Amino acid sequence: MPDDKPVPRILQQQPPRDSDPQQQRAGATDFQSRPEGQGQVEGEGSYTATREYQKNLKDYLDKADVEKDAEASRPRSDDEARDMEQAEREGKAHSRGEH
């Protein structure tokens, strides 16, 4: 029966680095600095982008003539109406939500 003692692992000590190891990008070998004024790392679905989008949307809805914009976006011909309906069907086919 083989010896059941665990083999000790020898870990290589890394030299100290000047920058924060938390700032290293995944898969990268260099370090990135943290942008001024930002304390959190934000990626896809960032809170900052969401807040900015919601603010811009609210500003638009408060200031714009939505009815006029809706009227201006209506199709100008039967061909254009068919193209818009086809584009809507195609877009909905790729969505997970409403169909």
Side-chain angles (χ1 to χ4, degrees):
M1 179 171 207
D3 192 8
D4 289 338
K5 289 183 181 177
V7 177
R9 291 179 50 194
I10 300 174
L11 300 177
Q12 182 178 3
Q13 187 67 28
Q14 295 293 318
R17 298 186 186 238
D18 292 335
S19 58
D20 182 4
Q22 296 297 322
Q23 290 297 307
Q24 187 175 13
R25 294 187 307 250
T29 57
D30 58 333
F31 287 80
Q32 63 183 358
S33 61
R34 180 175 287 168
E36 285 295 320
Q38 289 190 351
Q40 289 185 310
V41 176
E42 293 188 71
E44 186 176 341
S46 74
Y47 295 119
T48 304
T50 299
R51 278 192 300 272
E52 187 175 316
Y53 171 78
Q54 289 174 341
K55 179 191 176 300
N56 290 339
L57 181 62
K58 183 182 181 315
D59 290 347
Y60 168 76
L61 293 174
D62 288 344
K63 297 174 184 174
D65 185 348
V66 178
E67 292 297 323
K68 182 180 176 186
D69 290 345
E71 185 64 37
S73 69
R74 291 185 192 273
R76 289 174 228 116
S77 68
D78 289 340
D79 286 340
E80 191 175 32
R82 280 191 293 278
D83 289 345
M84 290 173 76
E85 288 170 3
Q86 174 60 32
E88 183 178 7
R89 280 193 299 277
E90 187 175 327
K92 285 183 177 181
H94 297 285
S95 75
R96 293 183 180 182
E98 63 182 77
H99 289 284

